[in-house]
Amino acid sequence: MADIAEPAMVRHASMQNAAALRALAVDADALMRLTAIGTSLWRGLSARAIEPNGYYLPEWELAVSASASGRTGASVLAAWGDTGLIGLLPVISMWRAYKIPLPVLISADPYGSLGTPPLDRDRAGDAIIGLMNAARKAGAHALILRDMSLTGSAMKAIDEVLRRGGMHPTVLQSHARACLDARGDADQLLHDALGTKKLKELRRQRNRLAEHGAVSFDVARRPEDVAAALETFLTLEASGWKARRGTALAQDDGDASFIRRATQALAQRGQCEIVSLHAGATAVAAAIVLRHQDRAFYFKLGVDERFSKFSPGVQLTLDLTRHLCADPEIALADSTADADHPMINPIWRGRLAIGNVVVPLRRNGPVVPIVHAAMTLRRLVREPARRLVQLIRKSREKSR
């Protein structure tokens, strides 16, 4: 399995090797543009993928690369076999991703925290070899796969290919995030997760919410219904704390264009639905859910904070849990949330191991310890600033 990079590795990364690697560069001209991959070929690969990832479906990722703020213009590594496209990985340079001048390619940010690449389930090993060869031809010495599923079928296939080549992947950092085993009984799952007392309190809040109008849970699936529900979602998301932080999708023209294009395209293929909770005619919460194979992906949630004392986000998530468990096509729901997320973690008690993984492209090459050293330094510099920003935000929110 993948190794966790040790501090000792960092100490052994020589300055001479680092200087030599900085003198190299990824040849951008050797990389395909993302738009050069035929959509029908990409869809066929997605249908055969060894592991689901709604964020690397063509309709989603092409929309991200076309207009999403800070995520446009991705390139792609492609692997080909006798049957056509067998592997694909959207990428950007390490310089663009982190402003680190090393010959490394990074999986492109798909605006959703899962970077598992689509690999043909019957040709996964050949697909990985093909992607690695394409990266080498572009001058890369390593790949960094961000937000990889560490225990999934794709990672196991990558580990096996590297093992046969006398190499191994290295996990830069990892965390566990919430997921739902949707094959179980929803009411039993919720009772086991929350307990009788908490569920009773949530029922009381729902009854109080019903004083503002009959509470209903709605699912938009048809493209025209998804388009209308998306506007409701965007309005809700832009009405609360995300808007105050400047992270609501509707606040950026590129982000708004991306989400409208992506949800419409996926809805036409039955791979996107928007769920919402209403009190009478008033929408109090809405969320975007992607679907790929037997998995659902809980993308984003927006709530009307005027109803916050009734826990609208939690209420919607309870209904979504019942909805997914009742769907025979869904086996697992990935929250795609941060680690230790305060809302979803107590409700969805399953856990997925997610991490950033370095895949070496040359045996005994110096790049892995150097990459780890650079990323460790970057994290040490950025972490205090991130904590300071969080403290300032919390202080401002308490003063409102």
Side-chain angles (χ1 to χ4, degrees):
M1 291 301 293
D3 286 351
I4 301 294
E6 298 290 343
M9 295 177 64
V10 179
R11 292 193 294 271
H12 287 93
S14 71
M15 293 301 295
Q16 182 178 359
N17 283 336
L21 284 170
R22 284 196 299 271
L24 302 174
V26 173
D27 181 6
D29 293 335
L31 293 169
M32 295 177 63
R33 302 307 297 169
L34 193 67
T35 51
I37 298 293
T39 305
S40 60
L41 292 174
W42 192 340
R43 287 174 182 160
L45 174 60
S46 295
R48 303 188 307 274
I50 194 172
E51 190 172 347
N53 183 358
Y55 300 120
Y56 274 162
L57 290 169
E59 292 79 9
W60 183 270
E61 178 58 16
L62 286 170
V64 170
S65 187
S67 67
S69 181
R71 297 171 173 87
T72 58
S75 300
V76 67
L77 302 175
W80 304 89
D82 296 338
T83 57
L85 185 66
I86 60 173
L88 179 149
L89 178 65
V91 292
I92 59 175
S93 69
M94 193 171 189
W95 174 255
R96 177 176 171 184
Y98 301 124
K99 294 297 184 286
I100 296 175
L102 291 175
V104 176
L105 288 170
I106 317 291
S107 59
D109 179 357
Y111 220 128
S113 53
L114 186 63
T116 303
L119 307 170
D120 191 311
R121 67 172 67 94
D122 296 323
R123 303 285 301 279
D126 292 337
I128 294 161
I129 292 170
L131 295 177
M132 292 173 66
N133 286 337
R136 291 189 189 102
K137 288 179 182 178
H141 285 236
L143 294 170
I144 295 180
L145 305 179
R146 296 189 282 190
D147 294 319
M148 271 291 294
S149 171
L150 296 180
T151 58
S153 300
M155 192 67 240
K156 290 177 182 177
I158 292 169
D159 191 68
E160 175 60 22
V161 167
L162 291 178
R163 186 190 62 79
R164 293 200 304 263
M167 298 179 285
H168 56 79
T170 298
V171 177
L172 293 174
Q173 60 189 82
S174 64
H175 66 276
R177 72 176 177 219
C179 67
L180 169 71
D181 183 348
R183 297 167 297 183
D185 177 76
D187 289 332
Q188 186 63 52
L189 287 169
L190 292 173
H191 184 272
D192 292 344
L194 297 171
T196 302
K197 184 177 179 180
K198 181 61 176 179
L199 285 173
K200 183 178 179 180
E201 171 61 17
L202 288 168
R203 284 193 296 271
R204 185 192 69 80
Q205 291 179 351
R206 195 178 185 96
N207 291 335
R208 291 288 306 281
L209 179 60
E211 295 173 6
H212 297 267
V215 177
S216 61
F217 172 74
D218 302 299
V219 181
R221 296 188 183 90
R222 296 185 305 172
E224 58 270 29
D225 296 333
V226 166
L230 176 64
E231 298 308 313
T232 298
F233 164 83
L234 291 173
T235 299
L236 287 171
E237 190 192 37
S239 69
W241 63 267
K242 291 183 184 180
R244 293 192 291 272
R245 293 186 182 182
T247 60
L249 290 167
Q251 291 177 288
D252 184 279
D253 289 342
D255 287 347
S257 177
F258 134 67
I259 197 62
R260 289 187 175 108
R261 170 180 166 177
T263 52
Q264 271 297 288
L266 288 172
Q268 291 171 8
R269 304 188 62 79
Q271 293 180 304
C272 174
E273 55 191 30
I274 297 181
V275 296
S276 56
L277 191 72
H278 286 77
T282 303
V284 298
I288 299 171
V289 179
L290 307 187
R291 301 166 66 100
H292 182 209
Q293 296 182 8
D294 65 350
R295 194 164 298 186
F297 302 87
Y298 196 173
F299 174 54
K300 277 184 178 290
L301 170 69
V303 302
D304 188 332
E305 292 185 354
R306 295 175 301 171
F307 296 87
S308 59
K309 62 183 178 182
F310 308 123
S311 304
V314 174
Q315 300 288 352
L316 177 67
T317 302
L318 298 184
D319 283 348
L320 175 61
T321 301
R322 298 183 181 100
H323 168 63
L324 294 173
C325 287
D327 189 334
E329 295 184 2
I330 298 298
L332 184 79
D334 184 347
S335 70
T336 63
D338 295 338
D340 303 317
H341 192 281
M343 188 278 286
I344 196 67
N345 272 34
I347 303 173
W348 290 3
R349 291 302 183 94
R351 295 293 180 265
L352 290 174
I354 303 294
N356 295 345
V357 179
V358 182
V359 175
L361 299 178
R362 290 166 173 79
R363 188 175 179 179
N364 299 322
V367 71
V368 172
I370 294 172
V371 166
H372 182 254
M375 294 298 287
T376 298
L377 178 61
R378 179 178 183 272
R379 189 163 59 250
L380 290 174
V381 170
R382 290 170 61 90
E383 185 63 22
R386 185 183 68 84
R387 290 180 179 177
L388 178 60
V389 169
Q390 288 180 336
L391 287 173
I392 293 172
R393 284 174 175 170
K394 287 179 181 178
S395 176
R396 287 176 177 175
E397 288 169 3
K398 286 180 180 178
S399 64
R400 289 179 184 274

Short mmCIF file of all heavy atoms in Angstrom, two decimals, residues 12-67:
data_model
loop_
_atom_site.label_atom_id
_atom_site.label_comp_id
_atom_site.label_asym_id
_atom_site.label_seq_id
_atom_site.Cartn_x
_atom_site.Cartn_y
_atom_site.Cartn_z
N HIS A 12 16.68 14.11 3.61
CA HIS A 12 17.60 13.50 2.66
C HIS A 12 17.46 14.07 1.25
O HIS A 12 18.16 13.65 0.33
CB HIS A 12 17.38 11.99 2.62
CG HIS A 12 17.90 11.29 3.84
ND1 HIS A 12 17.09 11.02 4.93
CD2 HIS A 12 19.14 10.82 4.15
CE1 HIS A 12 17.80 10.39 5.85
NE2 HIS A 12 19.04 10.27 5.42
N ALA A 13 16.51 14.98 1.03
CA ALA A 13 16.37 15.60 -0.30
C ALA A 13 17.48 16.63 -0.47
O ALA A 13 17.52 17.64 0.19
CB ALA A 13 15.00 16.27 -0.40
N SER A 14 18.43 16.36 -1.36
CA SER A 14 19.61 17.24 -1.49
C SER A 14 19.27 18.49 -2.29
O SER A 14 18.43 18.48 -3.17
CB SER A 14 20.75 16.48 -2.18
OG SER A 14 20.45 16.27 -3.54
N MET A 15 19.98 19.57 -2.00
CA MET A 15 19.81 20.81 -2.74
C MET A 15 20.26 20.63 -4.19
O MET A 15 19.72 21.24 -5.10
CB MET A 15 20.62 21.92 -2.07
CG MET A 15 20.10 22.31 -0.69
SD MET A 15 18.38 22.88 -0.76
CE MET A 15 18.59 24.36 -1.73
N GLN A 16 21.26 19.76 -4.42
CA GLN A 16 21.73 19.52 -5.78
C GLN A 16 20.63 18.90 -6.63
O GLN A 16 20.39 19.31 -7.76
CB GLN A 16 22.95 18.60 -5.74
CG GLN A 16 23.53 18.33 -7.13
CD GLN A 16 24.77 17.46 -7.05
OE1 GLN A 16 25.20 17.06 -5.97
NE2 GLN A 16 25.36 17.17 -8.21
N ASN A 17 19.93 17.91 -6.08
CA ASN A 17 18.83 17.29 -6.81
C ASN A 17 17.71 18.28 -7.06
O ASN A 17 17.10 18.30 -8.13
CB ASN A 17 18.30 16.08 -6.04
CG ASN A 17 19.21 14.87 -6.19
OD1 ASN A 17 19.96 14.77 -7.15
ND2 ASN A 17 19.14 13.98 -5.22
N ALA A 18 17.41 19.09 -6.05
CA ALA A 18 16.34 20.07 -6.20
C ALA A 18 16.65 21.06 -7.32
O ALA A 18 15.79 21.39 -8.14
CB ALA A 18 16.13 20.82 -4.88
N ALA A 19 17.91 21.52 -7.37
CA ALA A 19 18.29 22.46 -8.42
C ALA A 19 18.20 21.82 -9.79
O ALA A 19 17.76 22.45 -10.76
CB ALA A 19 19.71 22.97 -8.17
N ALA A 20 18.61 20.56 -9.89
CA ALA A 20 18.54 19.87 -11.18
C ALA A 20 17.10 19.72 -11.65
O ALA A 20 16.79 19.91 -12.83
CB ALA A 20 19.21 18.49 -11.06
N LEU A 21 16.21 19.40 -10.73
CA LEU A 21 14.81 19.22 -11.10
C LEU A 21 14.16 20.54 -11.48
O LEU A 21 13.33 20.60 -12.38
CB LEU A 21 14.04 18.56 -9.96
CG LEU A 21 14.30 17.05 -9.81
CD1 LEU A 21 13.69 16.56 -8.51
CD2 LEU A 21 13.73 16.29 -10.99
N ARG A 22 14.54 21.61 -10.81
CA ARG A 22 13.96 22.92 -11.14
C ARG A 22 14.36 23.36 -12.55
O ARG A 22 13.67 24.13 -13.19
CB ARG A 22 14.38 23.98 -10.12
CG ARG A 22 13.64 23.89 -8.80
CD ARG A 22 13.80 25.18 -8.02
NE ARG A 22 15.20 25.44 -7.70
CZ ARG A 22 15.80 25.00 -6.60
NH1 ARG A 22 15.12 24.27 -5.72
NH2 ARG A 22 17.07 25.28 -6.37
N ALA A 23 15.51 22.84 -13.02
CA ALA A 23 15.95 23.20 -14.36
C ALA A 23 15.11 22.52 -15.43
O ALA A 23 15.16 22.91 -16.59
CB ALA A 23 17.42 22.82 -14.53
N LEU A 24 14.37 21.50 -15.05
CA LEU A 24 13.50 20.80 -15.98
C LEU A 24 12.13 21.45 -15.97
O LEU A 24 11.77 22.16 -15.06
CB LEU A 24 13.39 19.33 -15.59
CG LEU A 24 14.71 18.55 -15.52
CD1 LEU A 24 14.45 17.16 -14.98
CD2 LEU A 24 15.38 18.49 -16.88
N ALA A 25 11.36 21.16 -16.99
CA ALA A 25 10.01 21.73 -17.05
C ALA A 25 9.09 20.78 -17.77
O ALA A 25 9.51 20.01 -18.63
CB ALA A 25 10.04 23.08 -17.75
N VAL A 26 7.83 20.84 -17.42
CA VAL A 26 6.82 20.08 -18.15
C VAL A 26 6.58 20.77 -19.48
O VAL A 26 6.45 22.00 -19.55
CB VAL A 26 5.51 20.01 -17.34
CG1 VAL A 26 4.41 19.36 -18.16
CG2 VAL A 26 5.75 19.23 -16.05
N ASP A 27 6.55 20.00 -20.56
CA ASP A 27 6.32 20.54 -21.90
C ASP A 27 4.82 20.64 -22.13
O ASP A 27 4.16 19.65 -22.43
CB ASP A 27 6.97 19.62 -22.94
CG ASP A 27 6.79 20.13 -24.37
OD1 ASP A 27 6.25 21.24 -24.53
OD2 ASP A 27 7.16 19.40 -25.30
N ALA A 28 4.29 21.85 -22.02
CA ALA A 28 2.85 22.04 -22.16
C ALA A 28 2.36 21.64 -23.54
O ALA A 28 1.22 21.18 -23.71
CB ALA A 28 2.49 23.49 -21.87
N ASP A 29 3.22 21.79 -24.55
CA ASP A 29 2.82 21.46 -25.92
C ASP A 29 2.63 19.96 -26.11
O ASP A 29 2.00 19.53 -27.08
CB ASP A 29 3.86 21.98 -26.92
CG ASP A 29 3.90 23.50 -26.98
OD1 ASP A 29 2.87 24.12 -26.63
OD2 ASP A 29 4.95 24.06 -27.34
N ALA A 30 3.21 19.17 -25.20
CA ALA A 30 3.06 17.72 -25.30
C ALA A 30 1.79 17.22 -24.65
O ALA A 30 1.49 16.02 -24.71
CB ALA A 30 4.28 17.03 -24.67
N LEU A 31 1.04 18.12 -24.02
CA LEU A 31 -0.20 17.74 -23.34
C LEU A 31 -1.41 18.07 -24.22
O LEU A 31 -1.42 19.09 -24.92
CB LEU A 31 -0.32 18.49 -22.02
CG LEU A 31 0.70 18.12 -20.94
CD1 LEU A 31 0.62 19.12 -19.79
CD2 LEU A 31 0.47 16.70 -20.43
N MET A 32 -2.41 17.23 -24.17
CA MET A 32 -3.66 17.49 -24.89
C MET A 32 -4.51 18.47 -24.10
O MET A 32 -4.50 18.46 -22.88
CB MET A 32 -4.44 16.18 -25.07
CG MET A 32 -3.79 15.15 -25.94
SD MET A 32 -4.78 13.61 -25.99
CE MET A 32 -6.29 14.21 -26.75
N ARG A 33 -5.24 19.31 -24.82
CA ARG A 33 -6.23 20.13 -24.15
C ARG A 33 -7.40 19.23 -23.75
O ARG A 33 -7.72 18.24 -24.42
CB ARG A 33 -6.73 21.24 -25.06
CG ARG A 33 -5.64 22.17 -25.56
CD ARG A 33 -4.81 22.74 -24.44
NE ARG A 33 -5.60 23.58 -23.54
CZ ARG A 33 -5.17 24.02 -22.37
NH1 ARG A 33 -3.96 23.68 -21.93
NH2 ARG A 33 -5.94 24.79 -21.62
N LEU A 34 -8.04 19.59 -22.67
CA LEU A 34 -9.16 18.78 -22.18
C LEU A 34 -10.26 18.65 -23.22
O LEU A 34 -10.90 17.61 -23.36
CB LEU A 34 -9.71 19.42 -20.90
CG LEU A 34 -10.67 18.59 -20.07
CD1 LEU A 34 -9.97 17.39 -19.46
CD2 LEU A 34 -11.28 19.43 -18.96
N THR A 35 -10.46 19.71 -23.98
CA THR A 35 -11.53 19.72 -24.97
C THR A 35 -11.22 18.84 -26.18
O THR A 35 -12.09 18.63 -27.02
CB THR A 35 -11.79 21.15 -25.45
OG1 THR A 35 -10.54 21.75 -25.84
CG2 THR A 35 -12.40 22.00 -24.34
N ALA A 36 -9.98 18.34 -26.28
CA ALA A 36 -9.62 17.49 -27.42
C ALA A 36 -10.14 16.06 -27.27
O ALA A 36 -10.18 15.31 -28.25
CB ALA A 36 -8.09 17.46 -27.60
N ILE A 37 -10.53 15.68 -26.07
CA ILE A 37 -11.08 14.34 -25.85
C ILE A 37 -12.53 14.32 -26.30
O ILE A 37 -13.34 15.14 -25.86
CB ILE A 37 -10.99 13.94 -24.36
CG1 ILE A 37 -9.53 13.89 -23.91
CG2 ILE A 37 -11.67 12.59 -24.13
CD1 ILE A 37 -8.71 12.80 -24.54
N GLY A 38 -12.87 13.40 -27.17
CA GLY A 38 -14.25 13.30 -27.63
C GLY A 38 -15.19 12.99 -26.48
O GLY A 38 -14.92 12.08 -25.68
N THR A 39 -16.27 13.74 -26.38
CA THR A 39 -17.20 13.55 -25.27
C THR A 39 -17.80 12.15 -25.25
O THR A 39 -17.96 11.56 -24.18
CB THR A 39 -18.33 14.60 -25.34
OG1 THR A 39 -17.76 15.91 -25.38
CG2 THR A 39 -19.23 14.50 -24.12
N SER A 40 -18.09 11.60 -26.42
CA SER A 40 -18.68 10.26 -26.45
C SER A 40 -17.68 9.22 -25.96
O SER A 40 -18.07 8.26 -25.25
CB SER A 40 -19.15 9.92 -27.87
OG SER A 40 -18.06 9.95 -28.78
N LEU A 41 -16.40 9.38 -26.30
CA LEU A 41 -15.37 8.46 -25.79
C LEU A 41 -15.25 8.57 -24.28
O LEU A 41 -15.12 7.57 -23.57
CB LEU A 41 -14.03 8.76 -26.45
CG LEU A 41 -13.91 8.45 -27.94
CD1 LEU A 41 -12.56 8.94 -28.47
CD2 LEU A 41 -14.06 6.96 -28.19
N TRP A 42 -15.28 9.80 -23.79
CA TRP A 42 -15.17 10.05 -22.35
C TRP A 42 -16.37 9.45 -21.62
O TRP A 42 -16.22 8.80 -20.58
CB TRP A 42 -15.08 11.55 -22.13
CG TRP A 42 -14.70 12.00 -20.75
CD1 TRP A 42 -14.79 11.29 -19.59
CD2 TRP A 42 -14.17 13.28 -20.39
NE1 TRP A 42 -14.37 12.06 -18.53
CE2 TRP A 42 -13.98 13.28 -18.99
CE3 TRP A 42 -13.88 14.44 -21.11
CZ2 TRP A 42 -13.49 14.40 -18.31
CZ3 TRP A 42 -13.39 15.54 -20.44
CH2 TRP A 42 -13.18 15.52 -19.05
N ARG A 43 -17.56 9.62 -22.17
CA ARG A 43 -18.75 9.03 -21.54
C ARG A 43 -18.65 7.51 -21.49
O ARG A 43 -19.02 6.88 -20.50
CB ARG A 43 -19.99 9.44 -22.32
CG ARG A 43 -20.43 10.88 -22.13
CD ARG A 43 -21.57 11.21 -23.05
NE ARG A 43 -22.00 12.60 -22.95
CZ ARG A 43 -22.70 13.23 -23.87
NH1 ARG A 43 -23.07 12.58 -24.99
NH2 ARG A 43 -23.06 14.49 -23.69
N GLY A 44 -18.16 6.91 -22.59
CA GLY A 44 -18.01 5.47 -22.60
C GLY A 44 -17.05 4.99 -21.53
O GLY A 44 -17.29 3.98 -20.85
N LEU A 45 -15.93 5.72 -21.37
CA LEU A 45 -14.97 5.37 -20.31
C LEU A 45 -15.61 5.51 -18.94
O LEU A 45 -15.42 4.66 -18.06
CB LEU A 45 -13.74 6.26 -20.42
CG LEU A 45 -12.71 6.13 -19.30
CD1 LEU A 45 -12.15 4.72 -19.22
CD2 LEU A 45 -11.58 7.15 -19.50
N SER A 46 -16.37 6.59 -18.73
CA SER A 46 -17.03 6.79 -17.44
C SER A 46 -17.97 5.64 -17.10
O SER A 46 -18.07 5.23 -15.94
CB SER A 46 -17.80 8.12 -17.44
OG SER A 46 -16.92 9.22 -17.56
N ALA A 47 -18.64 5.12 -18.11
CA ALA A 47 -19.56 4.01 -17.88
C ALA A 47 -18.80 2.75 -17.49
O ALA A 47 -19.33 1.90 -16.77
CB ALA A 47 -20.39 3.75 -19.14
N ARG A 48 -17.55 2.62 -17.95
CA ARG A 48 -16.74 1.43 -17.66
C ARG A 48 -15.76 1.66 -16.51
O ARG A 48 -14.94 0.79 -16.21
CB ARG A 48 -15.93 1.02 -18.90
CG ARG A 48 -16.75 0.74 -20.14
CD ARG A 48 -15.86 0.15 -21.25
NE ARG A 48 -14.70 0.96 -21.54
CZ ARG A 48 -14.66 2.00 -22.38
NH1 ARG A 48 -15.77 2.37 -23.01
NH2 ARG A 48 -13.54 2.67 -22.59
N ALA A 49 -15.81 2.83 -15.88
CA ALA A 49 -14.80 3.19 -14.88
C ALA A 49 -14.76 2.21 -13.72
O ALA A 49 -15.79 1.74 -13.23
CB ALA A 49 -15.05 4.59 -14.35
N ILE A 50 -13.57 1.92 -13.26
CA ILE A 50 -13.37 0.97 -12.18
C ILE A 50 -13.90 1.51 -10.85
O ILE A 50 -14.23 0.74 -9.94
CB ILE A 50 -11.87 0.60 -12.06
CG1 ILE A 50 -11.67 -0.63 -11.19
CG2 ILE A 50 -11.06 1.78 -11.53
CD1 ILE A 50 -10.25 -1.16 -11.20
N GLU A 51 -14.02 2.84 -10.76
CA GLU A 51 -14.50 3.47 -9.52
C GLU A 51 -15.26 4.74 -9.88
O GLU A 51 -14.78 5.52 -10.70
CB GLU A 51 -13.31 3.79 -8.61
CG GLU A 51 -13.69 4.22 -7.22
CD GLU A 51 -12.47 4.33 -6.31
OE1 GLU A 51 -11.38 3.83 -6.68
OE2 GLU A 51 -12.62 4.92 -5.23
N PRO A 52 -16.42 4.98 -9.29
CA PRO A 52 -17.21 6.16 -9.67
C PRO A 52 -16.57 7.47 -9.19
O PRO A 52 -15.95 7.53 -8.14
CB PRO A 52 -18.55 5.93 -8.95
CG PRO A 52 -18.56 4.51 -8.53
CD PRO A 52 -17.13 4.12 -8.33
N ASN A 53 -16.76 8.51 -9.99
CA ASN A 53 -16.40 9.87 -9.59
C ASN A 53 -17.24 10.84 -10.41
O ASN A 53 -16.96 11.11 -11.58
CB ASN A 53 -14.92 10.15 -9.81
CG ASN A 53 -14.52 11.54 -9.32
OD1 ASN A 53 -15.37 12.31 -8.85
ND2 ASN A 53 -13.25 11.87 -9.41
N GLY A 54 -18.29 11.38 -9.79
CA GLY A 54 -19.17 12.30 -10.49
C GLY A 54 -18.49 13.58 -10.92
O GLY A 54 -18.95 14.27 -11.84
N TYR A 55 -17.36 13.93 -10.28
CA TYR A 55 -16.68 15.19 -10.59
C TYR A 55 -15.74 15.09 -11.79
O TYR A 55 -15.23 16.11 -12.25
CB TYR A 55 -15.93 15.70 -9.36
CG TYR A 55 -16.84 15.95 -8.19
CD1 TYR A 55 -16.68 15.27 -6.99
CD2 TYR A 55 -17.90 16.85 -8.30
CE1 TYR A 55 -17.53 15.50 -5.92
CE2 TYR A 55 -18.75 17.08 -7.23
CZ TYR A 55 -18.56 16.40 -6.04
OH TYR A 55 -19.41 16.63 -4.99
N TYR A 56 -15.49 13.88 -12.27
CA TYR A 56 -14.73 13.73 -13.51
C TYR A 56 -15.60 13.18 -14.64
O TYR A 56 -15.08 12.65 -15.62
CB TYR A 56 -13.50 12.85 -13.30
CG TYR A 56 -12.28 13.59 -12.79
CD1 TYR A 56 -11.22 12.92 -12.19
CD2 TYR A 56 -12.18 14.98 -12.91
CE1 TYR A 56 -10.10 13.60 -11.72
CE2 TYR A 56 -11.06 15.67 -12.44
CZ TYR A 56 -10.02 14.97 -11.85
OH TYR A 56 -8.91 15.65 -11.39
N LEU A 57 -16.91 13.31 -14.51
CA LEU A 57 -17.77 13.09 -15.65
C LEU A 57 -17.52 14.20 -16.67
O LEU A 57 -17.25 15.34 -16.28
CB LEU A 57 -19.24 13.08 -15.23
CG LEU A 57 -19.69 11.87 -14.39
CD1 LEU A 57 -21.08 12.11 -13.81
CD2 LEU A 57 -19.68 10.60 -15.24
N PRO A 58 -17.60 13.91 -17.98
CA PRO A 58 -17.25 14.95 -18.96
C PRO A 58 -18.10 16.20 -18.87
O PRO A 58 -17.58 17.32 -19.00
CB PRO A 58 -17.44 14.23 -20.31
CG PRO A 58 -18.30 13.04 -20.01
CD PRO A 58 -17.97 12.64 -18.61
N GLU A 59 -19.40 16.03 -18.62
CA GLU A 59 -20.29 17.20 -18.56
C GLU A 59 -19.90 18.13 -17.42
O GLU A 59 -20.03 19.35 -17.53
CB GLU A 59 -21.74 16.75 -18.41
CG GLU A 59 -22.32 16.04 -19.62
CD GLU A 59 -21.90 14.59 -19.74
OE1 GLU A 59 -21.28 14.05 -18.78
OE2 GLU A 59 -22.17 13.97 -20.78
N TRP A 60 -19.43 17.56 -16.33
CA TRP A 60 -19.03 18.37 -15.17
C TRP A 60 -17.66 19.00 -15.38
O TRP A 60 -17.49 20.21 -15.29
CB TRP A 60 -19.02 17.50 -13.92
CG TRP A 60 -18.68 18.23 -12.66
CD1 TRP A 60 -17.43 18.42 -12.13
CD2 TRP A 60 -19.59 18.89 -11.77
NE1 TRP A 60 -17.51 19.15 -10.96
CE2 TRP A 60 -18.82 19.46 -10.72
CE3 TRP A 60 -20.97 19.05 -11.75
CZ2 TRP A 60 -19.40 20.16 -9.68
CZ3 TRP A 60 -21.55 19.76 -10.71
CH2 TRP A 60 -20.76 20.30 -9.68
N GLU A 61 -16.66 18.19 -15.70
CA GLU A 61 -15.29 18.69 -15.77
C GLU A 61 -15.10 19.65 -16.95
O GLU A 61 -14.34 20.63 -16.83
CB GLU A 61 -14.31 17.52 -15.86
CG GLU A 61 -12.85 17.91 -16.00
CD GLU A 61 -12.33 18.78 -14.87
OE1 GLU A 61 -12.97 18.88 -13.80
OE2 GLU A 61 -11.26 19.41 -15.06
N LEU A 62 -15.76 19.42 -18.07
CA LEU A 62 -15.65 20.35 -19.17
C LEU A 62 -16.24 21.71 -18.81
O LEU A 62 -15.73 22.76 -19.22
CB LEU A 62 -16.33 19.78 -20.42
CG LEU A 62 -15.57 18.65 -21.12
CD1 LEU A 62 -16.45 18.01 -22.18
CD2 LEU A 62 -14.26 19.15 -21.73
N ALA A 63 -17.32 21.69 -18.05
CA ALA A 63 -17.92 22.96 -17.60
C ALA A 63 -17.00 23.68 -16.62
O ALA A 63 -16.85 24.90 -16.66
CB ALA A 63 -19.29 22.70 -16.97
N VAL A 64 -16.37 22.91 -15.72
CA VAL A 64 -15.40 23.50 -14.78
C VAL A 64 -14.27 24.16 -15.55
O VAL A 64 -13.92 25.33 -15.33
CB VAL A 64 -14.84 22.42 -13.83
CG1 VAL A 64 -13.66 22.97 -13.03
CG2 VAL A 64 -15.92 21.94 -12.88
N SER A 65 -13.68 23.41 -16.48
CA SER A 65 -12.51 23.91 -17.21
C SER A 65 -12.85 25.07 -18.12
O SER A 65 -11.97 25.88 -18.46
CB SER A 65 -11.89 22.76 -18.03
OG SER A 65 -10.67 23.16 -18.62
N ALA A 66 -14.11 25.19 -18.51
CA ALA A 66 -14.52 26.27 -19.41
C ALA A 66 -14.65 27.61 -18.69
O ALA A 66 -14.30 28.66 -19.27
CB ALA A 66 -15.84 25.92 -20.09
N SER A 67 -15.13 27.62 -17.42
CA SER A 67 -15.42 28.93 -16.83
C SER A 67 -15.23 29.05 -15.32
O SER A 67 -15.25 30.16 -14.80
CB SER A 67 -16.86 29.34 -17.17
OG SER A 67 -17.79 28.50 -16.52
#
